């Protein structure tokens, strides 16, 4: 089992990022929070600061199992501009490794041409960036190696979909029981 890397930039959506990190850690996964900005302290869209585990320039991602792109603006736009992250996403895609993006962040995958012919969802009005994807508007979509979510309200389902992909339905059921999700 490898590491899940969650990428942070100023303006990230706190609910999407923190819910995902929390649920994956509850599932027993190794999760690293990675800043794509020069500073390892990143501030969310609603002024919540977080100290990331590492900066992207200090990582080699040799053990990466999945990468997560939280939404929020301008966070998702900043993630898109990060050359190191774009290269990592394209490398993951070339190896058919799983990538998860929520809210505004699926636009990054769309602009990289990774959603062509796939079912995908995103925050309303960002579907224009999904480049030949089959936009569904659903809270969460999983198509092949790509998981997309549409908003903060989908954060729990998004995180549980990642858990199911990596650890199976039994682990999801265990988490739902422990967190009283019915």
């Amino acid at each position: 089992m490898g590491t899940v890397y969650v990428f942070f930039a100023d303006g990230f959506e706190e609910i999407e990022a923190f819910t995902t990190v929390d649920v994956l850690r509850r599932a027993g996964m190794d999760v690293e929070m990675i800043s794509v900005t020069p500073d390892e302290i990143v501030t969310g869209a609603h002024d919540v600061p977080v100290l990331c585990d590492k900066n992207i320039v200090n990582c080699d991602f040799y053990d990466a199992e999945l990468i997560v792109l939280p939404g929020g603006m301008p966070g998702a736009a900043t993630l898109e501009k990060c050359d190191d992250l774009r290269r990592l996403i394209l490398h993951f895609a070339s190896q058919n490794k799983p990538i998860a993006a929520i809210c505004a962040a699926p636009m990054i995958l769309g602009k990289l041409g990774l959603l062509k012919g796939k079912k995908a969802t995103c925050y309303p009005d960002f579907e224009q960036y999904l480049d030949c994807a089959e936009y569904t508007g659903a809270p969460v979509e999983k198509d092949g190696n790509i998981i997309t979510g549409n908003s903060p309200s989908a954060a729990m389902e998004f995180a549980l979909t990642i858990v199911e992909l990596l650890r199976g339905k039994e682990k999801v059921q265990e988490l739902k029981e422990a967190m009283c999700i019915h």
Side-chain angles (χ1 to χ4, degrees):
M1 292 187 224
T3 302
V4 174
Y5 290 94
V6 182
F7 292 89
F8 287 76
D10 288 325
F12 71 93
E13 172 49 59
E14 293 93 340
I15 291 173
E16 296 161 359
F18 295 147
T19 299
T20 303
V21 169
D22 179 271
V23 170
L24 299 183
R25 286 184 176 170
R26 286 174 191 251
M29 295 183 200
D30 183 18
V31 179
E32 294 276 338
M33 300 186 320
I34 307 299
S35 169
V36 301
T37 61
D39 196 348
E40 288 176 2
I41 296 175
V42 181
T43 302
H46 303 96
D47 296 322
V48 178
V50 63
L51 175 62
C52 290
D53 298 306
K54 296 177 183 167
N55 187 287
I56 193 167
V57 297
N58 298 325
C59 297
D60 59 20
F61 305 107
Y62 72 92
D63 64 343
E65 184 173 13
L66 180 140
I67 56 178
V68 178
L69 310 173
M73 290 300 276
T78 302
L79 292 179
E80 180 194 0
K81 292 175 187 168
C82 178
D83 290 334
D84 290 333
L85 180 57
R86 281 200 318 272
R87 279 191 293 277
L88 179 64
I89 293 167
L90 290 170
H91 175 73
F92 256 60
S94 73
Q95 295 192 337
N96 207 33
K97 288 177 111 176
I99 302 166
I102 187 168
C103 195
M107 76 173 176
I108 300 165
L109 306 180
K111 288 181 176 183
L112 289 172
L114 303 179
L115 298 178
K116 289 181 181 170
K118 291 186 178 280
K119 287 184 179 182
T121 193
C122 62
Y123 194 77
D125 294 331
F126 280 81
E127 61 270 15
Q128 63 185 318
Y129 303 111
L130 299 187
D131 191 29
C132 300
E134 182 185 331
Y135 172 73
T136 67
V140 175
E141 284 292 346
K142 180 188 168 299
D143 192 336
N145 64 320
I146 307 245
I147 297 170
T148 52
N150 73 351
S151 66
S153 69
M156 182 62 72
E157 182 180 347
F158 177 76
L160 291 171
T161 302
I162 294 169
V163 172
E164 182 176 335
L165 176 69
L166 299 180
R167 300 299 182 264
K169 291 180 190 245
E170 283 184 23
K171 181 54 87 174
V172 170
Q173 192 55 41
E174 180 184 309
L175 289 171
K176 284 182 172 182
E177 288 174 18
M179 293 188 289
C180 298
I181 299 171
H182 305 285

